[in-house]
Amino acid sequence: MLTRKQYQLLVFIDARIQETGISPSFDEMKVALSLKSKSGIHRLIMALEERGFIRRLPHRARALEVLKRPDRMERDKYAAPSAAPAAAPAFRPSVVEGRKPAERAPLAGMIEAPLIGRVAAGVPILAESNIEAHLAFPAVMVRKGGPYYALRVKGDSMIDMGIRDGDVALISSSDTAETGDVVVALVGEEEATLKRFRRRGSGSIALEPANPAYETQIYRPEQVAIQGKLAGIFRAY
């Protein structure tokens, strides 16, 4: 079963593709669902992809394909957002440039993940949700979890854990964390940072660097949204 927001986003994407042949931008989806941050759209897309309703097409901007529509129970339960145009009666999946790409078999023993912007390891930067590329990682080298996405590390605040500026961090999507986990945390719905997560009682959350040159950041629980847990670090030489 889909949540209301997942259903509304799926209907909006499907209607926009059928109308224009191009999937909507993250900003358009954010406005259609009345969300404050593009990170919420990213989580909804990851959930729809995990459930097999959509897929992201590699090496193309704004490239989403709708694979299936909700069942009748979900259609009856939820209404589409007012910003979404009415869906056509017949379901005809469309993709960017008006053609369906050739089917590509998954790589054996590999995990594929979209590379999404950059995450700060130091001073937080504005979260970016644009997909730069799709990457493949050896499954035997990755912590179990998923679905996955990848982020470029910027800064040196996690250097004592061997995480360097320019590394690619593979992240297992999750909205919860335990004390001691290295997480991607969205601070104030606008900025993302890679830090070690610790709870301090019920009143505060600490985001700890792994570099004595940086200070631990303390926030109220409502200021921090967990975006995922570190599953692996990859580096090019």
Side-chain angles (χ1 to χ4, degrees), residues 4-206:
R4 178 183 295 274
K5 288 295 186 183
Q6 289 167 3
Y7 171 85
Q8 291 177 340
L9 182 59
L10 179 61
V11 171
F12 180 61
I13 292 171
D14 181 38
R16 182 60 62 86
I17 289 175
Q18 293 202 44
E19 180 185 30
T20 67
I22 301 174
S23 55
S25 68
F26 275 74
D27 284 326
E28 290 169 336
M29 294 183 228
K30 182 180 71 173
V31 171
L33 271 69
S34 301
L35 295 179
K36 296 181 179 179
S37 171
K38 288 190 289 187
S39 65
I41 295 297
H42 169 63
R43 289 195 295 270
L44 292 173
I45 287 177
M46 294 285 284
L48 290 173
E49 189 174 28
E50 182 182 11
R51 289 163 173 78
F53 284 93
I54 64 173
R55 71 171 175 175
R56 287 180 276 200
L57 306 178
H59 312 304
R60 298 182 185 179
R62 293 177 57 175
L64 296 174
E65 179 182 10
V66 177
L67 300 177
K68 64 179 181 178
R69 298 184 70 188
D71 59 30
R72 182 172 180 178
M73 182 181 300
E74 287 163 332
R75 293 198 304 269
D76 291 344
K77 184 176 181 181
Y78 298 131
S82 59
F91 173 53
R92 300 185 301 276
S94 302
V95 297
V96 170
E97 298 179 5
R99 64 178 184 272
K100 186 174 182 178
E103 294 295 330
R104 179 170 56 86
L107 297 173
M110 304 294 285
I111 289 173
E112 295 190 25
L115 179 63
I116 304 175
R118 299 178 300 179
V119 62
V123 179
I125 60 174
L126 288 178
E128 300 174 4
S129 295
N130 293 327
I131 298 174
E132 295 181 1
H134 281 72
L135 306 178
F137 302 88
V140 295
M141 298 176 64
V142 173
R143 167 181 172 177
K144 290 184 178 179
Y148 298 94
Y149 61 96
L151 293 164
R152 292 192 188 278
V153 175
K154 183 179 180 182
D156 62 355
S157 76
M158 301 300 287
I159 190 68
D160 287 353
M161 287 190 63
I163 302 174
R164 302 179 184 177
D165 182 71
D167 286 353
V168 172
L170 183 64
I171 307 299
S172 176
S173 295
S174 175
D175 58 4
T176 61
E178 301 295 331
T179 290
D181 288 339
V182 177
V183 304
V184 175
L186 191 70
V187 179
E189 296 188 348
E190 290 295 337
E191 298 175 318
T193 186
L194 183 69
K195 293 290 187 294
R196 188 177 295 280
F197 173 91
R198 293 196 187 280
R199 291 190 183 277
R200 294 191 172 184
S202 60
S204 63
I205 287 174

